Amino acid sequence: MFSNNRTGWLLLSPTIIILLIMGLVPFFYVLYVGFFKWNPLAVDPSMQFEGFGFNYRRLIFDEVFLASIWRSIKFSVVTLFFELGLGFILALSLLSSFPLKSFFRGIHTLPLVIAPIVVGSIFKLFTVQGLGPLPHLLKDYFGYTLNYGLHAEQAFWMIVIMDIWHWTPFVTLTLLAGLSALPQDPYESAKIDGANNFQIFIYITIPMMVPVLIVVIFIRLMDSLKIVDEVWMLTGGGPGYATRFTGIHIWKEVFEKRFYGLGSAMSILYLYITIVICWLLYSVMVSRGKNED
Amino acid sequence: MKNLIIALVASTFSFAAMADGHAEWWKKAGAPYAGTVLQGVAENTPPGQYAGEVLAKEFEALTGIKVQLENTSWDSMYDKAIKDMEANSGIYDFVYIEQDIVYDYLNRDFLVNITQGLANNPDLQAPGVSLDDFTTFIDYFKDGSGDVFGVPMEAFIKVYLYRKDLFEAADAKAAFRAQYGYGLTPATSFDQYRDNAEFFTHYCADKGMECWGTTVQGHTGHPASTYEFLESIGPSFGLYNWGVNMDNYHSCVEDGGQLNGGRAKAALNFWTQLLPFAPPEALQSTWSEVGASFAAGRAAQGWVYGENAAWIATDAEKSAVVGNVGVMLPPTAPGVMTQAASGNGYIGYFDGGAYGIPHSSKNIEATMLWLQYVALNDHQADWAIAGGRITHKDTYADPKVLAVDEQADGYFSLMRDTGFLYAGAPPFPFHGAGRGAIDPFIYSALAGEMTPEEALDGACKALDQVMSDLGYQG
């Protein structure tokens, strides 16, 4: 037994060491830096300890940072709503047979393999005012002016659309895998009992899909809260603060303004908020599991 | 591209001529470092491409030292260079130092003192290279004692470009006089600039042409717009040094600054009111897009960076307006020209950059050879033709450069004769942090979310907060 344990630990040790170096060490370093006032561009460029709460107290009253968090959460909720809805519809569609199904599935999956920064570039080329085809088409056929460099709401929704385009295929594929693995007995029983398709979907499919849905929500929520690349490419966080999500705000504070201490504190606080949101989801998942038992 | 090919051919001859003169010295000096690979990172500009594609190859043939120059986007260049120097990782042997970031780099002791380095290694001192050959632009890369930390490789002024064909069209002249009561000419005042912009927007629309009255470098999510305001529009209204009081590092009027003063607000009002007369892509345009828009014939006039001015005027493969480009000084408010001429102000941005050596470089001596090769007089004229840049005094008088100057409506002559009216960025070690504080307010003013007055009141407070946080206000 002891020998088995030792072999197990030996085999695991490279992974554990890499995890420690790549994950925990940077985390604790950022946590440490977050307690200091530190900007190498300052008159005094050294790290100055001004109390554990110095940067965190400041963040509580930092309207721009708090607004960026609210913006990120709003973005995540909106994109999740649409990606789940569309993903579910597409997954259900892909369960049935129709002409060119394989072709559609291949095309539909393409965005998933494109790097976020490239997605941003594609959308920029497609939508930039004056040169991209979309503003021309919208203007010519619907009389609608698309200029997200000018209109904050358009910029936000353009990024929502871009994220939906990029990530709905992931939701579709994951839900399709879940739907394909569902047992058929409950469906047959329901049909014998006279349930219609809508009732079957609401009372059988959705309850059985809850674990898969929660995993999808979990992954997409964490991803969308971290969004940076696509936004960076498309709007740069503008106009004004309209698309300055927390990831971009932290980048600007740390790499543009060089507020290393404050930026580290922001990262830690944002990580904490992300963990809290995910913990709430986890609690829902666990309580749901218990109820089903 | 055509210019680059001509330059490649021409450089072969000049390279041969130079090699005749000092080839043995370069071969001998390079021998200890033969096989070394120097890594560099720079902004992807025409002069940078020339350095990477022409000079690097010549240098390798002469010395056996290979130069790999990574020409990339402005943002990416800074990101890579600064991270490398901060981490002291030594990935890059030389980095591009834009004029406005040099104070930051010097303040943080990122760069090798080239003057000192060559003094300590006389064997590395190349024949035919003298720092006295450079224009005064090299002064931006010196410290207080006059030591050089960067070898200039490009320098430009931001000029006023206009479309000669549009301004000289008889029907446009007649229509303009009928509408505004005076003659149509390139702008020498802001009112005239605005009238021209309005006029050509309607003129182009009436003729079914895809062109507008003016460029605006107004990206609402990129620092390019802040730079256009702080370094071009603002100074031409008399707003200097970002409106920062250089004695007490305050920028709000109530504390002695000027960022929310009358001149600044007039400048921002003027600039934002040009937006209806700018191409639709203006709010997503950085300096690159402004150059591309003008080259595509989409604007009648505009403030355009010099690095783009030369190719727009001369490169028929990339520009649709070759032969029709006029170059002038931009309009200025009353008194600004006098202040600039007396050295108490400036009318716009003297843009450019240098190659410097990070302390973290693992090949400092070999890189010093490369930077001296870059500084040689022999290839400056071909480099000027290929990249529209001039860093050496004698280059202006080169016959090849004079010929291109004529094609470019005297852009090089204008830079030679009026360069002293321009200035680089103010000597702020906190350049990036300060500009980052101002950015969102400029974006909001451009997007119409704030009035220019609100934006500048907010911007000065944000900038003051940064300068206070960094300890500059005492």
Side-chain angles (χ1 to χ4, degrees):
Chain A
M1 184 71 177
F2 176 74
S3 168
N4 279 348
N5 271 345
R6 201 169 55 178
T7 310
W9 280 113
L10 265 176
L11 290 170
L12 276 175
S13 59
T15 311
I16 291 170
I17 290 167
I18 288 169
L19 275 177
L20 276 174
I21 294 170
M22 305 298 285
L24 289 181
V25 172
F27 170 76
F28 283 114
Y29 183 66
V30 170
L31 187 67
Y32 170 74
V33 171
F35 296 132
F36 291 85
K37 185 180 178 185
W38 183 23
N39 188 317
L41 305 175
V43 172
D44 180 357
S46 63
M47 292 171 77
Q48 299 154 57
F49 182 73
E50 306 243 350
F52 287 107
F54 176 73
N55 285 321
Y56 293 94
R57 259 199 309 275
R58 192 170 162 174
L59 289 179
I60 297 300
F61 301 103
D62 184 340
E63 287 176 15
V64 177
F65 175 65
L66 296 177
S68 80
I69 292 179
W70 165 239
R71 200 174 293 118
S72 298
I73 292 172
K74 180 181 157 194
F75 169 77
S76 299
V77 170
V78 171
T79 51
L80 256 176
F81 175 78
F82 283 107
E83 284 168 17
L84 275 178
L86 277 172
F88 221 127
I89 291 168
L90 288 166
L92 287 169
S93 307
L94 286 168
L95 274 180
S96 52
S97 296
F98 56 87
L100 297 174
K101 180 179 159 183
S102 302
F103 177 72
F104 173 76
R105 194 160 53 189
I107 292 288
H108 173 64
T109 313
L110 267 182
L112 259 189
V113 298
I114 303 175
I117 200 83
V118 180
V119 171
S121 306
I122 292 169
F123 267 75
K124 178 147 191 165
L125 289 172
F126 199 62
T127 60
V128 69
Q129 254 287 331
L131 304 168
L134 189 62
H136 274 295
L137 292 172
L138 289 172
K139 186 78 182 169
D140 292 349
Y141 291 102
F142 302 100
Y144 182 77
T145 303
L146 175 67
N147 189 348
Y148 54 80
L150 180 63
H151 303 295
E153 282 298 307
Q154 284 185 358
F156 179 83
W157 284 101
M158 184 52 66
I159 288 166
V160 167
I161 290 167
M162 179 169 61
D163 197 77
I164 291 169
W165 180 83
H166 194 191
W167 290 110
T168 298
F170 167 77
V171 178
T172 306
L173 290 181
T174 314
L175 294 182
L176 183 62
L179 286 169
S180 305
L182 291 181
Q184 291 305 303
D185 295 354
Y187 287 95
E188 286 162 8
S189 305
K191 277 179 186 164
I192 290 166
D193 291 343
N196 61 31
N197 286 341
F198 181 73
Q199 287 168 325
I200 289 173
F201 178 70
I202 295 293
Y203 297 110
I204 296 180
T205 305
I206 289 198
M208 287 199 296
M209 283 293 286
V210 163
V212 181
L213 280 170
I214 287 174
V215 169
V216 170
I217 291 170
F218 211 76
I219 293 171
R220 284 302 307 132
L221 185 70
M222 284 191 294
D223 262 355
S224 56
L225 285 171
K226 292 187 297 189
I227 190 165
V228 170
D229 315 37
E230 299 100 313
V231 185
W232 187 260
M233 200 66 215
L234 192 67
T235 64
Y241 289 109
T243 56
R244 195 188 265 218
F245 298 106
T246 309
I248 288 185
H249 185 66
I250 291 172
W251 190 94
K252 284 181 182 277
E253 290 299 315
V254 174
F255 293 109
E256 215 170 67
K257 295 178 163 180
R258 310 275 152 188
F259 284 110
Y260 293 153
L262 188 68
S264 299
M266 282 180 183
S267 304
I268 294 294
L269 196 59
Y270 194 50
L271 176 68
Y272 175 75
I273 290 168
T274 307
I275 289 171
V276 167
I277 293 171
C278 292
W279 176 79
L280 285 172
L281 264 179
Y282 179 76
S283 302
V284 169
M285 188 168 68
V286 170
S287 65
R288 182 88 198 183
K290 279 180 183 166
N291 288 343
E292 279 175 4
D293 288 345
Chain B
M1 180 53 77
K2 191 176 157 194
N3 281 346
L4 193 62
I5 292 167
I6 293 169
L8 269 167
V9 176
S11 72
T12 308
F13 292 106
S14 61
F15 168 57
M18 188 278 297
D20 279 348
H22 303 294
E24 274 312 308
W25 184 90
W26 284 100
K27 199 176 278 183
K28 197 175 157 193
Y33 316 105
T36 303
V37 180
L38 303 181
Q39 299 283 352
V41 64
E43 186 181 3
N44 190 18
T45 60
Q49 288 165 15
Y50 185 87
E53 291 166 24
V54 179
L55 300 183
K57 288 186 173 62
E58 291 176 3
F59 182 69
E60 185 182 357
L62 205 52
T63 62
I65 301 169
K66 190 176 177 65
V67 177
Q68 285 185 339
L69 177 54
E70 185 183 341
N71 285 312
T72 183
S73 70
W74 179 80
D75 318 61
S76 173
M77 177 262 300
Y78 275 136
D79 199 35
K80 289 180 173 193
I82 292 174
K83 279 177 184 162
D84 177 50
M85 293 188 287
E86 280 182 344
N88 214 25
S89 47
I91 295 169
Y92 296 111
D93 296 301
F94 65 101
V95 296
Y96 177 85
I97 317 164
E98 185 140 5
Q99 183 278 325
D100 53 16
I101 202 80
V102 68
Y103 309 104
D104 179 354
Y105 286 7
L106 290 178
N107 189 48
R108 300 171 71 182
D109 194 25
F110 280 160
L111 301 171
V112 168
N113 183 331
I114 295 170
T115 307
Q116 200 67 54
L118 289 175
N120 295 341
N121 295 282
D123 291 348
L124 291 177
Q125 181 80 55
V129 174
S130 168
L131 297 179
D132 294 335
D133 290 344
F134 283 92
T135 62
T136 53
F137 188 65
I138 197 172
D139 295 343
Y140 287 114
F141 303 94
K142 291 177 178 172
D143 68 358
S145 59
D147 285 357
V148 171
F149 288 77
V151 174
M153 50 73 68
E154 59 182 22
F156 323 91
I157 53 172
K158 195 166 181 182
V159 289
Y160 170 74
L161 287 197
Y162 64 96
R163 287 272 301 279
K164 281 182 172 178
D165 54 333
L166 292 177
F167 275 85
E168 286 166 7
D171 62 334
K173 279 176 173 286
F176 187 91
R177 183 172 287 283
Q179 190 175 342
Y180 295 97
Y182 63 95
L184 173 63
T185 56
T188 54
S189 73
F190 297 113
D191 287 343
Q192 194 184 6
Y193 190 101
R194 192 233 166 248
D195 287 350
N196 288 350
E198 182 184 53
F199 173 76
F200 278 116
T201 301
H202 298 307
Y203 176 83
C204 290
D206 291 345
K207 287 190 167 287
M209 293 157 64
E210 285 270 302
C211 74
W212 286 262
T214 177
T215 62
V216 171
Q217 188 177 295
H219 200 300
T220 51
H222 190 284
S225 50
T226 307
Y227 281 128
E228 172 134 310
F229 175 68
L230 291 176
E231 295 176 341
S232 301
I233 311 296
S236 63
F237 274 82
L239 175 72
Y240 309 127
N241 299 321
W242 301 5
V244 173
N245 182 325
M246 303 298 276
D247 294 325
N248 65 5
Y249 286 102
H250 278 86
S251 66
C252 290
V253 167
E254 53 270 34
D255 297 313
Q258 286 298 321
L259 185 53
N260 61 340
R263 285 172 181 265
K265 286 178 176 172
L268 192 53
N269 266 300
F270 163 76
W271 191 45
T272 52
Q273 283 168 15
L274 291 179
L275 282 169
F277 314 126
E281 65 270 22
L283 292 178
Q284 286 139 46
S285 291
T286 69
W287 37 76
S288 303
E289 285 82 13
V290 162
S293 289
F294 198 96
R298 291 170 67 81
Q301 57 178 354
W303 270 266
V304 179
Y305 278 96
E307 66 204 78
N308 294 322
W311 69 260
I312 288 172
T314 60
D315 191 343
E317 283 189 16
K318 292 188 335 197
S319 170
V321 294
V322 171
N324 291 318
V325 178
V327 182
M328 274 178 40
L329 291 181
T332 49
V336 169
M337 198 60 85
T338 313
Q339 287 178 331
S342 62
N344 295 317
Y346 51 95
I347 65 167
Y349 185 44
F350 209 134
D351 176 29
Y355 289 147
I357 310 172
H359 280 300
S360 51
S361 165
K362 296 182 176 76
N363 301 296
I364 289 175
E365 292 177 351
T367 311
M368 283 208 185
L369 286 176
W370 159 242
L371 294 199
Q372 288 182 92
Y373 188 79
V374 165
L376 274 176
N377 256 321
D378 308 54
H379 42 236
Q380 295 303 322
D382 293 319
W383 201 358
I385 293 164
R389 41 63 79 200
I390 287 183
T391 56
H392 286 53
K393 286 178 277 195
D394 290 347
T395 314
Y396 287 112
D398 189 285
K400 287 184 282 189
V401 173
L402 288 173
V404 173
D405 188 40
E406 206 175 314
Q407 273 184 289
D409 198 41
Y411 167 69
F412 289 132
S413 308
L414 191 73
M415 185 158 84
R416 178 195 61 208
D417 299 336
T418 63
F420 70 99
L421 298 171
Y422 286 80
F428 297 149
F430 52 85
H431 180 95
R435 199 222 59 239
I438 298 170
D439 284 342
F441 296 96
I442 300 297
Y443 303 162
S444 294
L446 285 163
E449 292 170 350
M450 286 181 176
T451 65
E453 288 76 14
E454 289 168 346
L456 290 174
D457 287 341
C460 83
K461 284 181 190 142
L463 179 58
D464 279 359
Q465 182 65 54
V466 166
M467 291 189 289
S468 167
D469 287 345
L470 298 180
Y472 287 91
Q473 293 179 343

mmCIF file of all heavy atoms in Angstrom, chain A residues 124-152:
data_model
loop_
_atom_site.group_PDB
_atom_site.id
_atom_site.type_symbol
_atom_site.label_atom_id
_atom_site.label_comp_id
_atom_site.label_asym_id
_atom_site.label_seq_id
_atom_site.Cartn_x
_atom_site.Cartn_y
_atom_site.Cartn_z
ATOM 1 N N LYS A 124 -13.691 43.306 -36.800
ATOM 2 C CA LYS A 124 -13.287 44.687 -37.075
ATOM 3 C C LYS A 124 -13.334 44.949 -38.582
ATOM 4 O O LYS A 124 -13.885 45.951 -39.033
ATOM 5 C CB LYS A 124 -11.892 44.941 -36.528
ATOM 6 C CG LYS A 124 -11.396 46.335 -36.820
ATOM 7 C CD LYS A 124 -10.513 46.855 -35.741
ATOM 8 C CE LYS A 124 -10.278 48.343 -35.964
ATOM 9 N NZ LYS A 124 -9.736 49.006 -34.831
ATOM 10 N N LEU A 125 -12.744 44.039 -39.351
ATOM 11 C CA LEU A 125 -12.729 44.219 -40.803
ATOM 12 C C LEU A 125 -14.150 44.230 -41.370
ATOM 13 O O LEU A 125 -14.453 44.923 -42.328
ATOM 14 C CB LEU A 125 -11.922 43.099 -41.472
ATOM 15 C CG LEU A 125 -10.415 43.176 -41.247
ATOM 16 C CD1 LEU A 125 -9.733 41.933 -41.777
ATOM 17 C CD2 LEU A 125 -9.834 44.408 -41.927
ATOM 18 N N PHE A 126 -15.011 43.444 -40.744
ATOM 19 C CA PHE A 126 -16.377 43.297 -41.230
ATOM 20 C C PHE A 126 -17.253 44.493 -40.863
ATOM 21 O O PHE A 126 -18.190 44.837 -41.567
ATOM 22 C CB PHE A 126 -16.939 42.007 -40.626
ATOM 23 C CG PHE A 126 -18.140 41.468 -41.341
ATOM 24 C CD1 PHE A 126 -18.056 41.068 -42.678
ATOM 25 C CD2 PHE A 126 -19.357 41.341 -40.691
ATOM 26 C CE1 PHE A 126 -19.172 40.574 -43.333
ATOM 27 C CE2 PHE A 126 -20.473 40.842 -41.349
ATOM 28 C CZ PHE A 126 -20.379 40.462 -42.674
ATOM 29 N N THR A 127 -16.911 45.138 -39.738
ATOM 30 C CA THR A 127 -17.852 46.128 -39.208
ATOM 31 C C THR A 127 -17.314 47.550 -39.134
ATOM 32 O O THR A 127 -18.048 48.446 -38.748
ATOM 33 C CB THR A 127 -18.278 45.739 -37.767
ATOM 34 O OG1 THR A 127 -17.105 45.692 -36.952
ATOM 35 C CG2 THR A 127 -18.973 44.404 -37.725
ATOM 36 N N VAL A 128 -16.048 47.762 -39.504
ATOM 37 C CA VAL A 128 -15.496 49.104 -39.339
ATOM 38 C C VAL A 128 -16.227 50.086 -40.258
ATOM 39 O O VAL A 128 -16.500 49.797 -41.427
ATOM 40 C CB VAL A 128 -13.968 49.114 -39.587
ATOM 41 C CG1 VAL A 128 -13.634 48.877 -41.042
ATOM 42 C CG2 VAL A 128 -13.357 50.416 -39.116
ATOM 43 N N GLN A 129 -16.555 51.229 -39.684
ATOM 44 C CA GLN A 129 -17.314 52.245 -40.414
ATOM 45 C C GLN A 129 -16.568 52.693 -41.663
ATOM 46 O O GLN A 129 -15.363 52.884 -41.634
ATOM 47 C CB GLN A 129 -17.518 53.450 -39.506
ATOM 48 C CG GLN A 129 -18.915 53.595 -38.973
ATOM 49 C CD GLN A 129 -19.892 54.067 -40.026
ATOM 50 O OE1 GLN A 129 -19.538 54.766 -40.943
ATOM 51 N NE2 GLN A 129 -21.140 53.669 -39.852
ATOM 52 N N GLY A 130 -17.308 52.836 -42.736
ATOM 53 C CA GLY A 130 -16.717 53.387 -43.953
ATOM 54 C C GLY A 130 -16.073 52.352 -44.845
ATOM 55 O O GLY A 130 -16.034 52.518 -46.051
ATOM 56 N N LEU A 131 -15.564 51.279 -44.273
ATOM 57 C CA LEU A 131 -14.827 50.303 -45.063
ATOM 58 C C LEU A 131 -15.422 48.888 -44.983
ATOM 59 O O LEU A 131 -15.385 48.150 -45.956
ATOM 60 C CB LEU A 131 -13.364 50.267 -44.607
ATOM 61 C CG LEU A 131 -12.639 51.625 -44.643
ATOM 62 C CD1 LEU A 131 -11.312 51.557 -43.919
ATOM 63 C CD2 LEU A 131 -12.415 52.069 -46.084
ATOM 64 N N GLY A 132 -15.961 48.525 -43.818
ATOM 65 C CA GLY A 132 -16.503 47.174 -43.642
ATOM 66 C C GLY A 132 -17.839 47.022 -44.352
ATOM 67 O O GLY A 132 -18.577 47.994 -44.518
ATOM 68 N N PRO A 133 -18.175 45.797 -44.791
ATOM 69 C CA PRO A 133 -19.432 45.608 -45.524
ATOM 70 C C PRO A 133 -20.696 45.762 -44.677
ATOM 71 O O PRO A 133 -21.720 46.221 -45.179
ATOM 72 C CB PRO A 133 -19.317 44.176 -46.064
ATOM 73 C CG PRO A 133 -18.285 43.517 -45.227
ATOM 74 C CD PRO A 133 -17.372 44.577 -44.718
ATOM 75 N N LEU A 134 -20.626 45.377 -43.392
ATOM 76 C CA LEU A 134 -21.854 45.385 -42.589
ATOM 77 C C LEU A 134 -22.472 46.785 -42.439
ATOM 78 O O LEU A 134 -23.685 46.939 -42.644
ATOM 79 C CB LEU A 134 -21.589 44.754 -41.210
ATOM 80 C CG LEU A 134 -22.837 44.499 -40.372
ATOM 81 C CD1 LEU A 134 -23.779 43.507 -41.061
ATOM 82 C CD2 LEU A 134 -22.479 43.975 -38.988
ATOM 83 N N PRO A 135 -21.691 47.809 -42.083
ATOM 84 C CA PRO A 135 -22.308 49.139 -41.992
ATOM 85 C C PRO A 135 -22.946 49.577 -43.304
ATOM 86 O O PRO A 135 -24.020 50.192 -43.306
ATOM 87 C CB PRO A 135 -21.128 50.053 -41.627
ATOM 88 C CG PRO A 135 -20.130 49.160 -40.987
ATOM 89 C CD PRO A 135 -20.273 47.849 -41.684
ATOM 90 N N HIS A 136 -22.305 49.233 -44.426
ATOM 91 C CA HIS A 136 -22.877 49.598 -45.726
ATOM 92 C C HIS A 136 -24.220 48.909 -45.933
ATOM 93 O O HIS A 136 -25.200 49.539 -46.324
ATOM 94 C CB HIS A 136 -21.924 49.176 -46.857
ATOM 95 C CG HIS A 136 -20.880 50.206 -47.152
ATOM 96 N ND1 HIS A 136 -21.200 51.445 -47.646
ATOM 97 C CD2 HIS A 136 -19.541 50.193 -47.017
ATOM 98 C CE1 HIS A 136 -20.090 52.156 -47.796
ATOM 99 N NE2 HIS A 136 -19.067 51.417 -47.418
ATOM 100 N N LEU A 137 -24.246 47.587 -45.652
ATOM 101 C CA LEU A 137 -25.480 46.824 -45.865
ATOM 102 C C LEU A 137 -26.599 47.336 -44.968
ATOM 103 O O LEU A 137 -27.741 47.514 -45.409
ATOM 104 C CB LEU A 137 -25.224 45.330 -45.577
ATOM 105 C CG LEU A 137 -24.300 44.612 -46.574
ATOM 106 C CD1 LEU A 137 -23.956 43.213 -46.081
ATOM 107 C CD2 LEU A 137 -24.981 44.517 -47.938
ATOM 108 N N LEU A 138 -26.256 47.569 -43.699
ATOM 109 C CA LEU A 138 -27.280 48.050 -42.758
ATOM 110 C C LEU A 138 -27.816 49.418 -43.179
ATOM 111 O O LEU A 138 -29.012 49.691 -43.076
ATOM 112 C CB LEU A 138 -26.700 48.134 -41.344
ATOM 113 C CG LEU A 138 -26.432 46.791 -40.657
ATOM 114 C CD1 LEU A 138 -25.681 46.990 -39.339
ATOM 115 C CD2 LEU A 138 -27.745 46.062 -40.392
ATOM 116 N N LYS A 139 -26.934 50.248 -43.675
ATOM 117 C CA LYS A 139 -27.345 51.597 -44.085
ATOM 118 C C LYS A 139 -28.200 51.518 -45.352
ATOM 119 O O LYS A 139 -29.271 52.145 -45.440
ATOM 120 C CB LYS A 139 -26.079 52.436 -44.343
ATOM 121 C CG LYS A 139 -26.350 53.879 -44.637
ATOM 122 C CD LYS A 139 -26.654 54.621 -43.353
ATOM 123 C CE LYS A 139 -26.986 56.084 -43.652
ATOM 124 N NZ LYS A 139 -27.521 56.737 -42.461
ATOM 125 N N ASP A 140 -27.726 50.711 -46.312
ATOM 126 C CA ASP A 140 -28.412 50.666 -47.608
ATOM 127 C C ASP A 140 -29.784 50.006 -47.526
ATOM 128 O O ASP A 140 -30.726 50.451 -48.155
ATOM 129 C CB ASP A 140 -27.541 49.911 -48.636
ATOM 130 C CG ASP A 140 -26.284 50.699 -48.976
ATOM 131 O OD1 ASP A 140 -26.215 51.879 -48.576
ATOM 132 O OD2 ASP A 140 -25.372 50.146 -49.612
ATOM 133 N N TYR A 141 -29.867 48.919 -46.731
ATOM 134 C CA TYR A 141 -31.122 48.155 -46.748
ATOM 135 C C TYR A 141 -32.056 48.472 -45.578
ATOM 136 O O TYR A 141 -33.249 48.242 -45.654
ATOM 137 C CB TYR A 141 -30.815 46.650 -46.773
ATOM 138 C CG TYR A 141 -30.215 46.228 -48.079
ATOM 139 C CD1 TYR A 141 -28.855 46.010 -48.213
ATOM 140 C CD2 TYR A 141 -31.005 46.075 -49.222
ATOM 141 C CE1 TYR A 141 -28.283 45.644 -49.418
ATOM 142 C CE2 TYR A 141 -30.448 45.713 -50.444
ATOM 143 C CZ TYR A 141 -29.085 45.501 -50.532
ATOM 144 O OH TYR A 141 -28.538 45.150 -51.743
ATOM 145 N N PHE A 142 -31.495 48.963 -44.477
ATOM 146 C CA PHE A 142 -32.359 49.214 -43.303
ATOM 147 C C PHE A 142 -32.277 50.658 -42.813
ATOM 148 O O PHE A 142 -32.946 51.017 -41.848
ATOM 149 C CB PHE A 142 -31.977 48.264 -42.154
ATOM 150 C CG PHE A 142 -32.079 46.811 -42.529
ATOM 151 C CD1 PHE A 142 -30.953 46.083 -42.886
ATOM 152 C CD2 PHE A 142 -33.316 46.171 -42.550
ATOM 153 C CE1 PHE A 142 -31.036 44.746 -43.246
ATOM 154 C CE2 PHE A 142 -33.416 44.832 -42.911
ATOM 155 C CZ PHE A 142 -32.277 44.117 -43.257
ATOM 156 N N GLY A 143 -31.434 51.454 -43.439
ATOM 157 C CA GLY A 143 -31.292 52.856 -43.016
ATOM 158 C C GLY A 143 -30.696 52.985 -41.618
ATOM 159 O O GLY A 143 -30.842 54.014 -40.954
ATOM 160 N N TYR A 144 -29.988 51.943 -41.165
ATOM 161 C CA TYR A 144 -29.431 51.940 -39.808
ATOM 162 C C TYR A 144 -27.946 52.273 -39.850
ATOM 163 O O TYR A 144 -27.187 51.695 -40.633
ATOM 164 C CB TYR A 144 -29.627 50.545 -39.191
ATOM 165 C CG TYR A 144 -29.126 50.420 -37.770
ATOM 166 C CD1 TYR A 144 -29.852 50.937 -36.709
ATOM 167 C CD2 TYR A 144 -27.914 49.763 -37.500
ATOM 168 C CE1 TYR A 144 -29.386 50.817 -35.401
ATOM 169 C CE2 TYR A 144 -27.448 49.640 -36.199
ATOM 170 C CZ TYR A 144 -28.190 50.165 -35.163
ATOM 171 O OH TYR A 144 -27.734 50.057 -33.886
ATOM 172 N N THR A 145 -27.537 53.228 -39.015
ATOM 173 C CA THR A 145 -26.125 53.604 -38.995
ATOM 174 C C THR A 145 -25.388 52.837 -37.896
ATOM 175 O O THR A 145 -25.692 53.005 -36.715
ATOM 176 C CB THR A 145 -25.967 55.116 -38.744
ATOM 177 O OG1 THR A 145 -26.700 55.815 -39.751
ATOM 178 C CG2 THR A 145 -24.500 55.524 -38.804
ATOM 179 N N LEU A 146 -24.478 51.984 -38.314
ATOM 180 C CA LEU A 146 -23.649 51.256 -37.333
ATOM 181 C C LEU A 146 -22.317 51.973 -37.198
ATOM 182 O O LEU A 146 -21.527 52.024 -38.136
ATOM 183 C CB LEU A 146 -23.424 49.816 -37.804
ATOM 184 C CG LEU A 146 -22.466 48.983 -36.938
ATOM 185 C CD1 LEU A 146 -23.049 48.729 -35.559
ATOM 186 C CD2 LEU A 146 -22.129 47.650 -37.601
ATOM 187 N N ASN A 147 -22.087 52.554 -36.041
ATOM 188 C CA ASN A 147 -20.801 53.212 -35.781
ATOM 189 C C ASN A 147 -20.465 53.035 -34.302
ATOM 190 O O ASN A 147 -20.772 53.888 -33.469
ATOM 191 C CB ASN A 147 -20.859 54.694 -36.157
ATOM 192 C CG ASN A 147 -19.474 55.331 -36.107
ATOM 193 O OD1 ASN A 147 -18.528 54.746 -35.584
ATOM 194 N ND2 ASN A 147 -19.354 56.520 -36.659
ATOM 195 N N TYR A 148 -19.855 51.901 -33.994
ATOM 196 C CA TYR A 148 -19.614 51.619 -32.577
ATOM 197 C C TYR A 148 -18.436 52.420 -32.024
ATOM 198 O O TYR A 148 -18.137 52.347 -30.841
ATOM 199 C CB TYR A 148 -19.442 50.110 -32.323
ATOM 200 C CG TYR A 148 -18.390 49.442 -33.159
ATOM 201 C CD1 TYR A 148 -17.046 49.539 -32.825
ATOM 202 C CD2 TYR A 148 -18.734 48.700 -34.275
ATOM 203 C CE1 TYR A 148 -16.076 48.934 -33.591
ATOM 204 C CE2 TYR A 148 -17.771 48.089 -35.056
ATOM 205 C CZ TYR A 148 -16.445 48.202 -34.708
ATOM 206 O OH TYR A 148 -15.476 47.599 -35.464
ATOM 207 N N GLY A 149 -17.761 53.166 -32.873
ATOM 208 C CA GLY A 149 -16.765 54.108 -32.370
ATOM 209 C C GLY A 149 -17.449 55.317 -31.744
ATOM 210 O O GLY A 149 -16.850 56.061 -30.976
ATOM 211 N N LEU A 150 -18.714 55.513 -32.087
ATOM 212 C CA LEU A 150 -19.462 56.674 -31.614
ATOM 213 C C LEU A 150 -20.505 56.286 -30.567
ATOM 214 O O LEU A 150 -20.703 57.003 -29.590
ATOM 215 C CB LEU A 150 -20.150 57.348 -32.816
ATOM 216 C CG LEU A 150 -20.991 58.584 -32.557
ATOM 217 C CD1 LEU A 150 -20.124 59.712 -32.006
ATOM 218 C CD2 LEU A 150 -21.655 59.058 -33.852
ATOM 219 N N HIS A 151 -21.180 55.162 -30.782
ATOM 220 C CA HIS A 151 -22.313 54.807 -29.919
ATOM 221 C C HIS A 151 -21.922 53.700 -28.934
ATOM 222 O O HIS A 151 -21.624 52.574 -29.340
ATOM 223 C CB HIS A 151 -23.500 54.354 -30.759
ATOM 224 C CG HIS A 151 -23.936 55.380 -31.757
ATOM 225 N ND1 HIS A 151 -24.452 56.602 -31.382
ATOM 226 C CD2 HIS A 151 -23.910 55.389 -33.110
ATOM 227 C CE1 HIS A 151 -24.745 57.311 -32.471
ATOM 228 N NE2 HIS A 151 -24.416 56.598 -33.527
ATOM 229 N N ALA A 152 -21.982 54.036 -27.650
ATOM 230 C CA ALA A 152 -21.568 53.098 -26.606
ATOM 231 C C ALA A 152 -22.397 51.818 -26.617
ATOM 232 O O ALA A 152 -21.861 50.714 -26.485
ATOM 233 C CB ALA A 152 -21.667 53.785 -25.246
#
